[in-house]
Structure formats: structure tokens, C-alpha cells
């Protein structure tokens, strides 16, 4: 008889547990969420490395994004500044003028 009582108790307990809904995770708008923004390679390894760094923001809370964005901006700005420092082609010679 003890088997039927314990069996009935187990069935009743299982039914009670099934009736309770599982707690839903609390919504946190600041929780990290991937933006899934596609990044097309530029062909410049340095620039591509900076753009790939943007993916780091996908794993950070919103308040951590600023640091990543500023770091990427600084790196891209430095890459553009470096372009100005490279020697370019020589300036064209002035046109020939015949003096009379």
C-alpha cells in the first residue's frame, strides 16, 4: 500500500510541477546582442583589422560600445593620416614656355 501512496504522490507532484510555467528570462535592453552588420573587406589589412574590431561591441553592454567605437575611429583616422605622409608621385613639370 505504501507503493501506491508514494506513486500517487510522485504523480501528483509531477502534475503540479508541469502546471507551473518556467520562469521567463528577464528582458534587459542593455544586454549584449550581436548587430550582425556585414563588413565587406576593403583590401587594406590595417583598415580591415580596425573594422573587424567593431565585432567586439557585439559582446559588450551598451556602455562598453563607446570605447570600441572610439578605438576604431582613432585607428581609421590614423590610417588616413598615414596616407598623407606617404610620398606621392612627383609634381608635373611646368609647361614649357618659349621666350621671345
Amino acid at each position: 500500500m505504501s507503493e501506491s501512496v508514494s506513486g500517487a504522490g510522485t504523480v501528483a507532484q509531477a502534475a503540479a510541477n508541469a502546471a507551473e510555467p518556467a520562469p521567463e528570462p528577464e528582458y534587459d535592453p542593455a544586454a549584449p546582442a550581436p548587430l550582425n552588420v556585414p563588413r565587406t573587406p576593403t583590401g587594406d589589412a590595417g583598415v580591415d583589422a580596425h573594422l573587424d574590431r567593431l565585432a567586439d561591441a557585439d559582446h559588450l553592454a551598451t556602455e562598453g560600445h563607446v570605447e570600441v567605437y572610439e578605438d576604431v575611429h582613432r585607428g581609421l583616422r590614423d590610417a588616413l593620416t598615414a596616407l598623407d605622409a606617404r610620398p606621392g608621385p612627383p609634381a608635373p613639370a611646368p609647361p614649357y614656355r618659349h621666350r621671345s
Side-chain angles (χ1 to χ4, degrees), residues 7-73:
T10 304
V11 171
Q13 184 179 11
N17 288 343
E20 293 177 22
E24 292 190 26
E26 187 176 320
Y27 174 70
D28 182 4
L35 297 176
N36 297 320
V37 176
R39 289 179 292 278
T40 305
T42 64
D44 183 294
V47 170
D48 289 342
H50 291 298
L51 294 177
D52 287 343
R53 169 107 165 84
L54 290 172
D56 293 347
D58 288 348
H59 309 289
L60 299 172
T62 306
E63 60 269 4
H65 291 188
V66 173
E67 181 181 340
V68 173
Y69 296 154
E70 287 178 347
D71 183 46
V72 170
H73 181 260

